[in-house]
Amino acid sequence: MTKILLLSDTHSHIDDTILKYVAQADEVWHAGDIGDLVVTDAIKKLKPLRAVYGNIDDAKARLEFPLNNRFSCENVSVWITHIGGYPGKYNQNVREELALNPPKLFICGHSHILKVMFDKKNNLLHMNPGAAGKSGFHKVRTMLRFVIDDDKIKDLEIIEIGEK
């Protein structure tokens, strides 16, 4: 059983509230637009981190993190990318690969809109944790927390970490 904290779009913002939730997880996954690497450095001091870079991230972030991160957590195949879209409106850069080789869990960020949907066509769960940072149009900062237990994704929680 692995407890996951999923966040995105920090845009250089990290605070004690985010770090409190980091400490409660087994792993932290960041879906891009990290901003300053002090964010990921702070997370890595506490827990293992898997991340991707986003469209605002600089060359240092792009050297440290990939555009796409495909891996398995327990018996769940996972794909994290920053700009991925959502079921029925996937980004053209991921659409073909999702159809040919879908993961069980597809994660993206970018929109600053928290969204969790099951994609019946590709038989996968789509997650976007919204934005944990203070930059952008969103009103409430959000993250997701869930458990992966063997081949099951369960105990999904929305974490609202306050207004900007």
Side-chain angles (χ1 to χ4, degrees):
M1 189 172 81
T2 307
K3 293 182 276 185
I4 308 298
L5 177 68
L6 174 60
L7 70 162
S8 187
D9 295 275
T10 48
H11 292 264
S12 302
H13 179 78
I14 190 83
D15 60 31
D16 289 342
T17 303
I18 294 171
L19 293 173
K20 175 185 83 169
Y21 286 101
V22 167
Q24 296 170 6
D26 294 323
E27 291 185 12
V28 178
W29 300 350
H30 195 302
D33 277 3
I34 297 160
D36 194 311
L37 291 181
V38 298
V39 170
T40 49
D41 291 345
I43 292 168
K44 287 191 294 188
K45 284 181 184 171
L46 297 174
K47 296 293 172 164
L49 172 69
R50 298 179 193 260
V52 295
Y53 70 79
N55 56 295
I56 68 133
D57 291 317
D58 64 12
K60 287 196 291 190
R62 291 167 190 244
L63 282 172
E64 185 165 347
F65 301 107
L67 172 63
N68 295 294
N69 195 347
R70 287 198 77 151
F71 59 92
S72 289
C73 179
E74 299 202 21
N75 287 309
V76 172
S77 59
V78 180
W79 180 0
I80 304 175
T81 194
H82 184 61
I83 302 175
Y86 55 90
K89 299 275 187 186
Y90 288 120
N91 182 281
Q92 65 184 15
N93 296 326
V94 302
R95 200 174 299 142
E96 186 177 341
E97 181 69 17
L98 277 177
L100 292 173
N101 185 20
K104 184 166 186 163
L105 177 58
F106 180 67
I107 295 169
C108 62
H110 186 62
S111 70
H112 293 220
I113 299 168
L114 187 146
K115 190 177 286 200
V116 177
M117 299 173 66
F118 187 75
D119 178 347
K120 291 178 187 170
K121 181 178 175 188
N122 293 307
N123 194 33
L124 61 84
L125 183 62
H126 166 273
M127 289 185 186
N128 183 324
K134 293 188 171 189
S135 297
F137 69 88
H138 60 283
K139 301 249 186 283
V140 176
R141 300 183 303 130
T142 57
M143 303 184 292
L144 291 171
R145 180 164 58 180
F146 56 95
V147 170
I148 294 181
D149 189 1
D150 189 32
D151 63 345
K152 294 183 178 46
I153 302 163
K154 62 185 194 178
D155 300 335
L156 176 65
E157 297 175 73
I158 294 170
I159 299 168
E160 293 185 347
I161 47 177
E163 296 186 16
K164 298 191 302 184

